[in-house]
Every structure is written in C-alpha cells, then in structure tokens.
Amino acid sequence: MLGDLLFFIWCLVQLFIGYNLVLPFLFFLWYSVIKKKNWRRTEFQQPDYAIIVTAYEQTHLLYAVTNSILQSTYKNYLIYVVADKCDVSNLHFTDDRIVLLRPPETLGSNTRSHFYAINHFQRAHTHLTIIDSDNIVERNYLEELNRYFDNGFKAVQGIRKPKNLNTTLACLDAARDIYYHYYDAEVLFNLGSSATLSGSGMAFTVQLYRECLENNDVSGAGFDKVLQYAIVQRNLRIAYAPNAVVYDEKTAASDQLVNQRARWINTWFKYSFLGWGLLAKGIGKASRNQFLFGIVLLRPPLFIFLILSGLFFLVNIVLLNVFALWWLVAFALFITSFFIALSASHADKRIYDSLRNIPKFMWLQVQSLLKAKGANKRSVATKHTGDNSKTAANEN
C-alpha cells in the first residue's frame, strides 16, 4: 500500500514538472488552428500619454531613449524622466515635452518612481506607458498601442527586441526573450487570455494603473508580476501589440546576468502562488483568460524545469522505467516548440549560433538561483554599459 502511494506521488511530481515541456507545443497546435483577429484603429480615442522613463543611479542612456520618443509619429504626450538616486547636474533637456524629476530621497522601487511621476503630472493624462532608461522605441510605438486601446483594452504589452547582440550571453538572453514573447504574449493573447507583462514597453489607462498599484507598495523586482495579477483577476485582458517595438539592452556580461536573474528568480518564488488563485477563479467563472494565465504563472523559470526534467529522465533510465521514453518525447516537443518560436520571430543568425552555449547559460542561472535569497537587497537595477548613441533606426 505504501509502495503504491509513493509511486503515485512520484508520478504526480513528474507530471507537475513535465507538463511544462509539452504545454508550449499544445498551445502552438491550438494557436495554429484559430482565426487571428486583426485589431484595426477606429480613432475614437486620442489618448493623452504620460511616458514614464525610470532611471536608477545611471543617466548616460537617457538622451538616447528620450530622443527616440521625441521622434514618435503620435504627438499627444509628455515624457516624465524620473532620475532616482541620480546625479542630474549634466542632464539638460531642451524640449519642453520632457519633464525631469529628481526625487529628494531615494525611492529604490519601480512603482514608487511611477507614482512619483503620476503625482507630478503636468496635466490629466488618460494613459501612461512605462519605458526603461536603456530602452529605445520605434517611431510608431504609440500609434500601435492606440490600435488596442481603440478596441477597448485597458492594458497593452508591446514587444521588446534586443538592442544589442554583441556577446554570446546577449544572444542567449535574446533567445530566451523570444521564447517567452512568442508563447506568453502572442500565443497566449490570441488564445483568449492575456499577454504577460515584461517590465517595460507596456501601457495602461492611468485609472487602471492607479487602481491596481496605488495602495500596493511593491518593493524590489516584480511589480509587473503583481500588476498583471491585479489586472487579470479583474478578468480584464492584457493585449499584445507585436508592432509596438521597444529595443531593450540585453545582458552582455556574466556578473550582470547572475545578479539580474537572481532578482527574477526571487520574484518567481515570491509571487508564483498567485497562479493558484487565478486558476481557481478561472474554473469558478469559466474564464479562459484567468485559467490559462494562472497555468502560466505557476510555471517555474525555464532553466529550473529543464534541469529538473533532465534529472527525472536520468532517474527513470537508472530504474529502467518506461517513463524515460515519455521524457524523451517531452524534450523533443519542447525543443521543437523552442525552434518554432525562433523561426516565427525571424531570429538573427547570431542567436542561432549562440545556442551551442546554452549549458554555460544555464550554469550561470544556477548560480543566480543560489543567490536568489535576498537578491533584491543586494541590487535594485542592472548596470548597463550601452552606447547612448544608438537609435531605433540602426538597430532595426
């Protein structure tokens, strides 16, 4: 009897990890047979945007990001640069659409920076979009966001493309992003759920953003996880705008990657439980949006379930168990899903070439896992060394 119980638990644990390998392929099969909706502009709305650019300690990239925004084809906006714990003595913006804000005390939090900007709005903006200091935006970024706001959405996630592919790590970081953008944004949204939020390149009505976070002081990394949960639990959908392009500086050095991933892993352990609540709500309300999103929230970081899956596969080989064959099939489906994402996203050849270094990339993330506890206390931002002369045009 005890042996049967242990075997059942063993099978259950394997299923809980193994479904993560197969789920992307199942999502893709579903996605491939549905009719994709073309979200057209109605021009019923002319949003007044507050573009919030957050910087922490570093200011050398601010001219590049603000210059890219000022080239926007849509003109109804103001840019709020929140320079938290920054030396702003050398910052001199001449365009009156840029409002430079220097908090008198260190905020040390994304949401605090956002609400510092909100509390210093120079007019009653209807919408806001969040951009990081290392980002660059395409000229039609705001126009593409409008396409979804016109159709009644209150939250929209754009796509973050790599601003740099100058190192193997940057390419691998970009490959990971492509995988998540494809399955957790494009596919998930088109299946009737919501795109996951990516920390920047996202936009909301000001009213919704305030409702979700004004009374929730999120410290450290992870405000986007709390925000997306707050939106989806209201059974609102987060739209995915694949042509609202933000270029994001990819992590190019191993120490940067370890520190950054340590914060992200810490965030997953801190907020993954929210998925159970959405699953329950999705079942209770027959909400596809909440149910599918809850499944995605519960999924461990990519490298964790890949390593665990590999261990389970080896154990089953040692036990000469037929489950080893099922693990092989699951790995084959996952690899297929990964390359489907790269192909659909027209990934750069350098990204394909970098894949041979995946074991090193995963080892760095194991180091991040070991540093995850207290990661937010050691650092609150990734140090970027990008060239501030880059523009969206020469990165396209």
Side-chain angles (χ1 to χ4, degrees):
M1 191 72 174
L2 179 60
D4 291 341
L5 178 61
L6 291 175
F7 181 74
F8 174 76
I9 294 173
W10 168 242
C11 293
L12 201 62
V13 171
Q14 290 188 86
L15 181 64
F16 184 74
I17 297 300
Y19 89 93
N20 292 288
L21 293 174
V22 179
L23 190 64
F25 189 74
L26 296 178
F27 275 1
F28 170 74
L29 291 180
W30 185 4
Y31 172 67
S32 64
V33 298
I34 63 172
K35 184 178 180 180
K36 286 76 175 176
K37 186 170 181 179
N38 183 17
W39 302 96
R40 299 181 182 276
R41 280 228 60 190
T42 62
E43 299 186 359
F44 292 151
Q45 298 189 51
Q46 292 295 319
D48 182 1
Y49 282 98
I51 303 176
I52 301 176
V53 178
T54 56
Y56 183 81
E57 292 185 341
Q58 302 176 91
T59 62
H60 63 287
L61 297 173
L62 286 175
Y63 285 116
V65 63
T66 53
N67 286 340
S68 73
I69 296 170
L70 291 172
Q71 297 173 31
S72 298
T73 55
Y74 186 78
K75 302 300 182 183
N76 193 17
Y77 64 84
L78 291 179
I79 304 169
Y80 296 86
V81 176
V82 184
D84 185 24
K85 199 182 176 183
C86 294
D87 179 3
V88 298
S89 58
N90 293 321
L91 284 179
H92 304 288
F93 296 111
T94 58
D95 196 298
D96 59 9
R97 290 171 292 179
I98 302 176
V99 180
L100 177 60
L101 301 172
R102 173 61 168 88
E105 297 179 354
T106 299
L107 301 175
S109 155
N110 284 297
T111 53
R112 291 172 196 160
S113 291
H114 301 160
F115 278 101
Y116 190 85
I118 290 170
N119 292 331
H120 291 81
F121 278 175
Q122 297 200 347
R123 61 186 190 230
H125 298 283
T126 59
H127 295 67
L128 63 84
T129 181
I130 295 166
I131 304 294
D132 282 344
S133 62
D134 65 302
N135 293 160
I136 286 175
V137 304
E138 281 283 12
R139 296 181 70 244
N140 65 339
Y141 171 72
L142 297 175
E143 295 281 9
E144 289 298 323
L145 295 178
N146 289 344
R147 184 188 305 274
Y148 296 87
F149 286 125
D150 281 356
N151 283 276
F153 291 99
K154 297 182 178 181
V156 185
Q157 174 65 58
I159 184 170
R160 301 204 304 178
K161 293 187 176 182
K163 194 168 85 171
N164 60 301
L165 293 173
N166 55 322
T167 68
T168 297
L169 282 183
C171 291
L172 288 168
D173 197 11
R176 171 201 167 276
D177 275 4
I178 288 172
Y179 170 82
Y180 280 122
H181 284 317
Y182 186 69
Y183 290 106
D184 290 9
E186 180 175 340
V187 171
L188 196 59
F189 174 59
N190 281 285
L191 292 182
S193 186
S194 294
T196 56
L197 297 178
S198 300
S200 69
M202 53 189 184
F204 315 91
T205 64
V206 173
Q207 180 182 359
L208 178 64
Y209 190 85
R210 298 189 75 149
E211 286 176 4
C212 292
L213 288 183
E214 191 157 24
N215 297 314
N216 192 346
D217 184 22
V218 183
S219 59
F223 84 95
D224 50 340
K225 305 297 183 289
V226 177
L227 178 55
Q228 66 187 11
Y229 170 76
I231 293 170
V232 178
Q233 77 161 347
R234 290 168 166 78
N235 212 12
L236 298 173
R237 293 178 65 201
I238 303 169
Y240 174 60
N243 296 316
V245 179
V246 171
Y247 294 95
D248 177 54
E249 185 167 340
K250 307 318 300 172
T251 307
S254 57
D255 57 338
Q256 291 179 347
L257 184 120
V258 169
N259 290 330
Q260 182 190 69
R261 292 301 192 272
R263 293 195 302 274
W264 291 1
I265 295 167
N266 177 287
T267 296
W268 182 80
F269 281 109
K270 188 174 180 180
Y271 295 117
S272 62
F273 74 93
L274 297 174
W276 292 113
L278 285 182
L279 268 179
K281 283 194 172 188
I283 294 170
K285 296 181 178 180
S287 167
R288 183 189 303 180
N289 178 28
Q290 293 175 329
F291 181 77
L292 293 179
F293 204 81
I295 290 175
V296 170
L297 286 190
L298 289 173
R299 180 195 55 212
L302 192 58
F303 81 98
I304 290 180
F305 75 73
L306 286 176
I307 290 175
L308 290 176
S309 297
L311 291 175
F312 286 134
F313 171 64
L314 292 175
V315 170
N316 281 290
I317 286 182
V318 171
L319 297 176
L320 299 176
N321 198 310
V322 69
F323 289 155
L325 178 60
W326 288 109
W327 279 110
L328 273 179
V329 172
F331 272 114
L333 291 177
F334 175 79
I335 292 170
T336 300
S337 302
F338 193 85
F339 279 97
I340 286 172
L342 294 181
S343 176
S345 305
H346 308 290
D348 190 287
K349 181 181 180 296
R350 288 170 291 178
I351 293 176
Y352 284 102
D353 292 341
S354 73
L355 297 181
R356 65 175 68 97
N357 293 289
I358 284 177
K360 176 184 177 182
F361 190 67
M362 292 182 66
W363 170 241
L364 290 172
Q365 294 186 88
V366 170
Q367 295 180 45
S368 301
L369 177 62
L370 299 176
K371 294 184 176 183
K373 186 177 181 181
N376 288 324
K377 296 178 181 178
R378 289 194 298 271
S379 176
V380 297
T382 302
K383 303 296 183 184
H384 294 291
T385 58
D387 180 358
N388 64 6
S389 67
K390 291 180 179 178
T391 65
N394 61 31
E395 289 296 329
N396 201 351

